[in-house]
Amino acid sequence: MTKRKRGSTSEAGDSKNTNASEVAISFTSRKPEWAYLHLELVTQSPDAGSEPLDLLTAKTYLTTALSQFLGLSGTAIPIDILKLQLEELPTATASARRKTRNMLWIRVPHDDAAAVIAAAFAIRDGSRLEKALIHASPQ
């Protein structure tokens, strides 16, 4: 945001200054370059939820999902992982296995955001991805 003053010109012989009003100029991008997505890995298996997600596994899940959904062109979509947050969920008993909530913030090109979301929801195969569902919400 830039500010510009209007009416602030003064001549050399003019001793009085006029009060300059400030006008705020803002810029809004009509077509943003990037889309930011907040993903959460939700596992259906009770044992799979106990392992925390790491950056390499998250990137592998997303790349595999894009490859399955869009083929080779899906793997060409650049994905930037901005943040990985692991949150411990409370358990009923002390002997129960701890569950973690795996949340991921990513940045993808704006034109490819719909394809990334569709690929995340279309995960299917005999691998661990079959038991994984990724919820996405644009940020």
Side-chain angles (χ1 to χ4, degrees), residues 50 54 56 62 87 90 93 102 106 111 114 117-118 120 122-123 125 127-128:
S50 61
D54 59 37
L56 184 59
L62 291 170
E87 184 179 313
T93 63
N102 301 306
I106 65 171
D111 294 338
I117 292 171
I123 295 174
D125 196 12
S127 64
R128 183 168 183 233

Side-chain angles (χ1 to χ4, degrees), residues 16 76 118:
K16 66 177 187 178

Side-chain angles (χ1 to χ4, degrees), residues 41 43 46-54 57 61 86 97-102 128:
L41 179 70
T43 56
D47 295 334
S50 61
E51 293 181 21
L53 186 66
D54 59 37
T57 306
Y61 281 179
L86 305 174
R97 294 184 76 177
R98 289 198 170 259
K99 301 288 182 183
T100 56
R101 184 176 180 187
N102 301 306
R128 183 168 183 233

